[in-house]
Amino acid sequence: MSDNGQQSPNGAADTPTAPPSTEHLNIKVTDGNNEVFFKIKKSTKLEKLMKAFCERQGKDIRSARFLFEGQKVQPIDTPEQLEMADGDSIEVHQEQIGGSF
């Protein structure tokens, strides 16, 4: 019985293992009732995530306010600019108009 050299000494296949991807982040978006998880690139504008969340929840993007660590998220922001890490959360609030007597 011979070994054809198909495995490395530690028993794993000889294919190189890729390092864990640091290009993508898993971001949770929640409005208090619903949680949606998105996997996006660090360089992707958050507008894409914001639109997708609103479409899934039937919300108007113009009336939704997205916050990360208490700061308003702009559509042109990227996770990289906001120094987001894997597993971070974005909160969504309904923008209140009016309210004064």
Side-chain angles (χ1 to χ4, degrees):
M1 193 161 150
S2 68
D3 187 4
N4 293 335
Q6 296 295 326
Q7 292 190 348
S8 64
N10 65 4
D14 280 335
T15 56
T17 55
S21 175
T22 56
E23 181 67 22
H24 288 86
L25 296 175
N26 292 303
I27 304 296
K28 178 174 76 171
V29 181
T30 181
D31 64 1
N33 299 322
N34 304 298
E35 292 181 347
V36 180
F37 292 85
F38 293 92
K39 184 174 183 177
I40 62 170
K41 289 184 178 181
K42 290 181 178 182
S43 59
T44 300
K45 291 181 183 177
L46 290 172
E47 178 181 29
K48 190 172 182 180
L49 175 146
M50 296 160 78
K51 284 181 177 178
F53 180 82
C54 288
E55 285 174 11
R56 288 186 189 184
Q57 302 302 318
K59 296 180 184 285
D60 182 356
I61 194 166
R62 295 171 295 185
S63 65
R65 189 154 310 234
F66 293 79
L67 302 174
F68 173 64
E69 295 181 345
Q71 300 296 315
K72 186 175 180 190
V73 175
Q74 300 297 327
I76 60 170
D77 290 337
T78 66
E80 194 169 44
Q81 290 172 327
L82 299 178
E83 298 180 357
M84 296 177 89
D86 193 51
D88 277 346
S89 296
I90 294 176
E91 296 176 9
V92 183
H93 299 278
Q94 190 72 25
E95 189 169 317
Q96 188 171 353
I97 300 171
S100 64
F101 289 68

